[in-house]
Amino acid sequence: AGAGCGDHWPLCDGQVVPLSFTTERIIEFSHRLTSGASGLLGIVLVVLAFRQTPKGHPVRFGAVLSLGLVILEGLVGGIQVLLGLTADSTDPARGFVQGIHLANTFALLAALLLTALWARGEPGLRLRGQGRVWTLSLIGLVLTLLLGMAGAVTALGDLLFAPAPGTPLDTVRRDFSATAGLIENLRVIHPILAILGSVYLGWLGVWLQNLRPSAEVTRWSRVLWGLIAAQVVLGFVNVALKAPAWMQLTHLLLACLLWLALVMLVYRALTALSVQRPARAAPQEVPA
């Protein structure tokens, strides 16, 4: 439905409010309205952050970052529309923009989550001195981002090129035939990354529990494992059902939840020391 408003942006078919509506136009116009509302809420969030927190408070950084990512989200969507990378376009650039759009969405979700945590008094992040905890966590975050971007390209391929009749192997053969395009070639990357990413994130949860033992780290490790298992099952069901739209939307929703669970796990692991560190006792007077 990305072409629901034609090649116009930010106007819809050259109008502020369309005079006629189709299903695609309703979807696209609603998306733009909610995006605009998100931008307004982002501005309100920044104003409140600067009015109610002191200078240097992490919630200020989180609010500004969130607003910036909301604006970037709209710009990426606008570029996609203005370049005609919607509807039936099979331009490889469409896959690239789609992946960037999804990565920006993940970054926005993480920024909003951290802002909410800091607004309720949770400790700020300190990356120095974290050793391998931060290094391996960063690998997990980047791997999940790449997995999401590859998933966006695969979903685009399923939209433009329906899976071939027969087994998934038949679809793979068609994706690498002489007439296949780049978007079709890239569809196989997502399931490979999904297997590698699931194994790594499962191991990361165990490793963080051992290195930074706390109730919160254990809790979010278990949530992450549950979401990984659900995603693997949905992935197989999605392939078996030939990627219907409702299943792809469910898969995307769980991907967002898995990303947020990973961000929470990493955050709890990085702040476990500051939370568990006992307060220094006041010095006692030594009798003469």
Side-chain angles (χ1 to χ4, degrees), residues 16 24 60 69 72 79 93 102 116 118 125 130 133 157 164 174 176 204 217 227 233 263 266 282:
V16 177
E24 291 77 12
R60 290 189 173 191
L69 289 170
L72 183 58
I79 290 173
L102 195 282
W118 292 329
L125 284 173
Q130 296 285 357
V133 171
R174 192 193 68 180
F176 287 93
L204 180 65
V217 171
L227 289 171
V233 172
V263 172
V266 171

Side-chain angles (χ1 to χ4, degrees), residues 1-4 6-7 77 80-90 94 160:
D7 57 356
Q80 188 170 4
V81 171
L82 294 176
L83 293 180
L85 304 176
T86 57
D88 298 324
S89 171
T90 58
R94 184 178 180 182
L160 298 174

Side-chain angles (χ1 to χ4, degrees), residues 11-265:
L11 299 178
C12 185
D13 202 23
Q15 302 162 341
V16 177
V17 178
L19 299 179
S20 61
F21 286 95
T22 61
T23 301
E24 291 77 12
R25 186 166 294 173
I26 291 173
I27 294 173
E28 175 64 12
F29 187 63
S30 300
H31 179 58
R32 295 189 184 188
L33 286 179
T34 53
S35 298
S38 299
L40 293 176
L41 288 173
I43 294 173
V44 173
L45 179 62
V46 171
V47 172
L48 289 175
F50 276 80
R51 290 186 61 180
Q52 298 190 13
T53 60
K55 185 178 180 180
H57 197 285
V59 79
R60 290 189 173 191
F61 169 75
V64 172
L65 179 61
S66 299
L67 177 59
L69 289 170
V70 169
I71 295 173
L72 183 58
E73 187 91 332
L75 291 177
V76 172
I79 290 173
Q80 188 170 4
V81 171
L82 294 176
L83 293 180
L85 304 176
T86 57
D88 298 324
S89 171
T90 58
D91 191 326
R94 184 178 180 182
F96 176 77
V97 174
Q98 203 91 337
I100 294 297
H101 208 29
L102 195 282
N104 191 82
T105 299
F106 274 17
L108 173 59
L109 288 173
L112 288 170
L113 175 59
L114 291 174
T115 303
L117 291 171
W118 292 329
R120 73 178 190 182
E122 298 283 355
L125 284 173
R126 292 183 180 179
L127 303 182
R128 290 185 179 180
Q130 296 285 357
R132 288 183 297 171
V133 171
W134 170 235
T135 302
L136 296 178
S137 296
L138 180 60
I139 293 174
L141 292 168
V142 172
L143 183 59
T144 306
L145 271 179
L146 293 175
L147 175 59
M149 295 173 72
V153 175
T154 299
L156 176 62
D158 292 337
L159 173 68
L160 298 174
F161 312 99
T167 66
L169 188 58
D170 295 324
T171 301
V172 174
R173 291 195 186 101
R174 192 193 68 180
D175 288 348
F176 287 93
S177 65
T179 58
L182 181 60
I183 294 178
E184 293 173 277
N185 299 156
L186 295 176
R187 279 205 288 194
V188 73
I189 294 179
H190 179 63
I192 295 175
L193 279 178
I195 295 173
L196 296 176
S198 297
V199 172
Y200 183 84
L201 293 179
W203 170 82
L204 180 65
V206 175
W207 193 80
L208 290 178
Q209 280 191 77
N210 293 331
L211 198 64
R212 298 286 171 85
S214 72
E216 286 294 314
V217 171
T218 300
R219 174 191 175 191
W220 287 106
S221 293
R222 292 174 179 174
V223 171
L224 183 65
W225 295 334
L227 289 171
I228 290 173
Q231 276 291 66
V232 170
V233 172
L234 277 184
F236 280 108
V237 173
N238 189 43
V239 173
L241 296 179
K242 303 295 184 181
W246 65 269
M247 178 58 73
Q248 295 213 46
L249 289 174
T250 305
H251 203 39
L252 175 61
L253 173 61
L254 274 184
C256 293
L257 294 176
L258 189 151
W259 167 254
L260 289 173
L262 175 61
V263 172
M264 281 298 301
L265 172 61

